[in-house]
């Protein structure tokens, strides 16, 4: 069985790492390069950097920051936010990113998934899905959780995988920043439906929540932000805890 992955997520706004609740109410958490270095030394398996207002503000993702990150860390990292074209993808990979995360652009133009997979490989293409449970269904949102769409989580995730996505990063908007645990039922359904890895995001508050994401949610990786940024959970201790429950993990 493949090892489960622990992935700190660094939301970047105006060059600083921030953490919000339900995609709003942000507070600063530190320098993104310094934090990335720290997590790399602690044993994080990967990192995700998201320029959280890029799509909303219509900007390109932070290429200079990506170059600085690549020069200082030695684990894989994914970059997302404001990616609209193959040119954007090429620019970010050339700057040192290992994967790109597409959200709004893929919902607006699903064919970009096929184009990225064809030109750079499926392993590069992470489809991030921000969804909220409303009226009995998971509604997908654009622009950092600001704009609802007609797409729903499961049918969109299946289409993204069929088009060549290498991974699905699912964030429950209602769980984000609440520290009440991941949306494990939805994660388990994604695992059942998809032939590609699923990354859990939104809701980590204690070590038990990571265990639930892997055992109940059957996620392949668990992403978290605030509990790492503010020193509430240390990655080495988390990995020892998970290993104690028989969860395959790199220590």
């Amino acid at each position: 069985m493949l090892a489960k992955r622990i992935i700190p997520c660094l939301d970047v706004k105006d060059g600083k790492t921030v953490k919000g609740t339900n995609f709003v109410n942000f507070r600063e958490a530190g320098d993104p390069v310094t934090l990335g270095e720290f997590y790399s030394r602690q044993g994080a398996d990967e990192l995700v950097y998201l320029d959280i207002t890029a799509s909303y503000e219509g900007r390109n993702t932070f290429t200079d920051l990506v170059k600085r990150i690549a020069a200082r860390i030695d684990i894989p990292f994914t970059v997302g936010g404001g990616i609209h074209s193959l040119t954007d993808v090429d620019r970010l990979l050339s700057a040192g990113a290992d994967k790109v995360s597409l959200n709004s652009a893929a919902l607006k133009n699903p064919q970009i998934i096929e184009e990225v997979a064809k030109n750079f490989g499926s392993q590069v293409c992470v489809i991030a899905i921000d969804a909220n449970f409303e009226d009995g269904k998971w509604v997908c949102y654009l622009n950092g959780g600001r704009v609802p769409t007609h797409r729903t989580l499961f049918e969109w995730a299946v289409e993204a995988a069929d088009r060549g996505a290498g991974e699905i990063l699912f964030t429950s908007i209602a769980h984000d920043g609440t520290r009440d645990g991941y949306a494990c039922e939805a994660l388990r359904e994604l695992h059942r439906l998809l032939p590609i890895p699923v990354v859990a995001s939104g809701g980590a508050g204690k070590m038990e929540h990571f265990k639930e994401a892997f055992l109940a949610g059957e996620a392949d990786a668990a992403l978290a932000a605030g509990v790492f940024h503010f020193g509430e959970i240390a990655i080495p201790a988390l990995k020892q805890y998970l290993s104690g429950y028989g969860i395959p993990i790199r220590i």
Side-chain angles (χ1 to χ4, degrees):
M1 184 183 293
L2 288 175
K4 304 294 187 179
R5 289 170 286 147
I6 300 298
I7 306 176
C9 179
L10 297 93
D11 291 341
V12 178
K13 185 174 186 286
D14 301 325
K16 294 186 172 68
T17 308
V18 298
K19 181 66 191 105
T21 301
N22 307 132
F23 287 31
V24 294
N25 300 323
F26 296 104
R27 59 173 171 152
E28 287 188 17
D31 176 72
V33 180
T34 304
L35 273 175
E37 269 192 301
F38 174 69
Y39 294 140
S40 179
R41 292 196 306 269
Q42 274 213 324
D45 297 294
E46 297 180 20
L47 298 173
V48 170
Y49 285 90
L50 299 176
D51 189 347
I52 59 171
T53 58
S55 291
Y56 175 63
E57 295 175 359
R59 291 181 291 105
N60 287 331
T61 308
F62 38 3
T63 311
D64 290 341
L65 178 59
V66 172
K67 290 178 181 177
R68 289 195 288 124
I69 294 164
R72 300 267 291 272
I73 70 168
D74 57 5
I75 58 174
F77 70 98
T78 300
V79 175
I83 300 171
H84 303 290
S85 67
L86 292 183
T87 301
D88 292 333
V89 176
D90 184 58
R91 173 169 47 81
L92 292 163
L93 295 178
S94 296
D98 297 279
K99 307 177 192 177
V100 294
S101 171
L102 300 170
N103 189 334
S104 299
L107 279 164
K108 293 174 182 175
N109 174 28
Q111 190 172 342
I112 195 172
I113 301 172
E114 296 166 37
E115 294 170 353
V116 172
K118 178 182 176 182
N119 285 274
F120 303 103
S122 287
Q123 78 283 353
V124 160
C125 187
V126 178
I127 296 302
I129 304 178
D130 299 332
N132 201 43
F133 195 69
E134 303 168 5
D135 299 322
K137 60 187 177 182
W138 285 94
V139 177
C140 298
Y141 274 69
L142 292 166
N143 294 1
R146 291 174 176 84
V147 182
T149 71
H150 69 284
R151 304 304 301 262
T152 55
L153 170 63
F154 302 121
E155 52 91 9
W156 171 231
V158 168
E159 179 179 335
D162 288 345
R163 287 180 178 271
E167 197 162 73
I168 297 295
L169 167 56
F170 161 54
T171 302
S172 166
I173 295 172
H175 290 71
D176 177 69
T178 63
R179 315 277 179 108
D180 291 331
Y182 295 95
C184 289
E185 288 186 18
L187 287 167
R188 187 167 58 251
E189 182 66 7
L190 287 170
H191 172 79
R192 187 185 70 81
L193 289 170
L194 301 175
I196 58 176
V198 176
V199 181
S201 172
K206 53 188 178 181
M207 293 188 189
E208 183 182 354
H209 294 151
F210 291 85
K211 179 187 73 172
E212 291 168 353
F214 292 134
L215 297 181
E218 300 185 66
D220 298 279
L223 178 149
V227 291
F228 296 142
H229 299 340
F230 303 117
E232 293 157 44
I233 294 178
I235 292 171
L238 173 60
K239 288 192 163 191
Q240 290 289 348
Y241 169 85
L242 294 171
S243 180
Y245 283 93
I247 295 168
I249 204 90
R250 296 184 191 91
I251 297 180

